[in-house]
Amino acid sequence: MAKVAVLITFALMGLLFVVAVVEGGSPVGKPGYRIHTLFSVECQNYFDWQTVGLMHSFRKARQPGPITRLLSCTEEEKKSYRGMHLAPTFQVPSMSRHPKTGDWYPAINKPAGVVHWLNHSEEAKHVDWVVILDADMIIRGPIIPTELGAERGRPVSAYYGYLVGCDNILAKIHTKHPELCDKVGGLLAMHIDDLRALAPKWLAKTEEVREDKAHWSTNITGDIYGKGWISEMYGYSFGAAEVGLRHKINDDLMIYPGYIPRPGVEPILFHYGLPFTVGNWSFSKLQHHEDDIVYRCGELFPEPPYPREVYTMESEPNKRRALLLSVECMNTLNEGLVLRHAADGCPKPKWSKYLSFLKSKTFANLSRPKIFSPGVQQTMEAGEDQQPLFGETMKPHPKIHTVFSTECSPYFDWQTVGLIHSFHLSGQPGNITRLLSCTDEDLKQYKGHDLAPTHYVPSMSRHPLTGDWYPAINKPAGVLHWLNHVGDIDAEYIVILDADMILRGPITPWEFNASRGHPVSTPYEYLIGCDNELAEMHTSHPEYCDKVGGVIIMHIDDLMKFAMYWLLKTEEVRFDKEHYATNLTGDIYSSGWISEMYGYSFGAAELKLRHVVSREILIYPGYVPEQGVKYRVFHYGLEFSVGNWSFDKANWRDKDMVNTCWAKFPDPPDPSTLDRTDENILQKNLLSIECGKKLNEALMLHHRKRNCPDPSSPILTSPKLETRTSRKFGRIEEKPKTSTVPVRHTQELSHSDQNDGHFRSLKVWVVALWAFSGLGFMAVMTMVFSGRKSKGTKGKSSRSRKRHSSQDSWS
């Protein structure tokens, strides 16, 4: 029986092990989630103190997975180099002096080092996701590519707006796909398969741009020195474009100390590549180019002001927060040096107020690891009670969900492609959902199910009661249906857009001061019915009627109450044909076409919602922009032109731009050809060109994802779209292929997720059943052999022992 107990113990241990393997254990170590961080340096004191800071922050931030320093050194440099112990290191040949051209360009060591690591490192064979950083960075929290939204073919990176070569002749010269050139750099988070495809191109394009001295000028590259120093950055962007990578660009992940962060955003990476100051204190890394501070016991960089001192310097909260971030960056660098000196056997330093601060709980709390979430401030210890810093409470920003309404037609499909593409580039927080209104017949023929995360709603284009043909009513009807059928809404604020919009930047409730009872919207001055008898007839509170529309930011509680009013008031105004006249509605066609807009304003007035009206959110291409305003949305609802080129969405109502390979709109003029004598006209034309280019860019990327044949091919065929309709009418059980942010789908799109979960559970129970069956078998056989041993002869006993021995060894 003792052996039975032993067998049971081993079987149970095996079961627990197998179940743990099936369930996945720690996702960071599981294939598919293995993360490796890389950074490139040279054998210099300058990079050694940066290495100390980065390595210290890597450990402090609890970055998952290993980290490797790609150390580029000549054979001569290695002989005197003192810093081999500073980080896990993979040595790569130095290309600071190019072996063929003799060009002195140390920045090329970054792509060269990555290529060498991929080709010669055993580590690279066991990696799924790679995070590539620069040495002059401080990590503030774990950088997990999948949580930042990275996917195969869609790396995540930070925005480098000064890479103007992506928009001009430089991109056209150095990549076959200038429309895919992204202005990115700093932080790179991508799948290993993408890196393997990209790295050789990254190196080759760096060499190519570096040799193109004819186009080094500042107006072409954006390099203020005009010396080709940022050739490696262009090598990356052009190489990525060449292999078809499109980045998810996030301007909140990384911050330069000294820059002011967006309110409520907690960056997870400092990049101290530029000088920064706090009061009379300043720091510039270039002033420490030859500094051997790593090897001088007790030496630190000049101490910055203490946080309490910062509070006396600046009263404006966000500027003060920028100063505190600068202080944190320098303190983390110095903290790393203190620990490095101690690890190298330096004598314990004398007590000082500054050293005491670096070791204090105050600094530990200020610099504890952060978790990045767009617009949300939280730390690794999110479950702990958080004490406000020096009396200031930092509240997390609410979650956002964006929705837009379309119909089952080619006209709305190309608009959807444009909006979804711009959504992913804009940095808009949260998820996005298309409210797709289709008839039963429409759905049978419709091909665009995978263009966006979609919630399907019954079409009300033809009113079910009156027979009135009015497709605009699908907007309030779709919102109402979505609210009533998705279960829990994953957001506190809803942003409502039209399909014919292009996002240029995030639209957030905190930036535009939305709150309960106070939605945000943009001015629609032509809604004159708010001021006349139309409002008095259709709302109990005409004084609350706001002339707004286009973009809407509304608290979910308000929207839940309001949506039904929006629909009912739209029907009411639509039926009021006696008051369609232009002088009452402002509708130039006097046809009641803007009834839905009045339905919105009158419904909001009925609930006494008062809007925050912002003129800085939306602009129509073709309008002259206000100076200094960074508009977040293009609304291309009206015809616009630049010279002889023009665009009117109505002209493309029946064109299948999405399913016709390489279909695109006429290209707008090159910005370099514009007349620059009138600044207002110039800015208007530049915005119009930007809108036109963004639409074509979205279409080209869409066609590339659909694997359209080479555009030079004589015959272009439309790719077949595969959809799968469920037995329940109207449900399409297909996840959008083009979604580039983590999406919580509506009920219609959730079945495959549930099936995956059931399948994983089933696997666990099958394994468990297998293990227990084996356990029972071994227990029975043990008892059988034990019984034979007690009753049988010596020969049989001997044979039994042999069998039992064999059984034990097999087990």
Side-chain angles (χ1 to χ4, degrees), residues 11 37 44 50 125 131 203 224 267 332 348 375 406 418 503 518 560 569 645 655 666 709-710:
T37 304
Q44 298 175 12
Q50 294 178 39
K125 300 176 183 177
V131 175
L203 177 57
I224 59 173
T332 305
K348 186 176 181 179
T406 71
L503 279 167
H518 294 281
M560 286 288 193
K569 290 296 178 181
W645 174 87
K655 301 291 193 301
D710 191 306

Side-chain angles (χ1 to χ4, degrees), residues 154-171:
R154 295 300 306 273
V156 167
S157 191
Y159 181 61
Y160 272 10
Y162 57 83
L163 296 180
V164 296
C166 275
D167 299 326
N168 59 37
I169 191 174
L170 199 66

Side-chain angles (χ1 to χ4, degrees), residues 18 67 115 176 181 186 221 232 251 257 291 331 384 517 616 630 648 675 684 716 793:
V18 173
I67 187 170
V115 169
K176 298 175 184 176
C181 186
T221 64
E232 175 272 317
D251 207 18
D291 203 324
N331 285 334
E384 297 180 6
E616 299 188 355
K630 296 182 179 179
D648 184 349
D675 183 358
K684 179 197 75 169
L716 296 179
T793 64

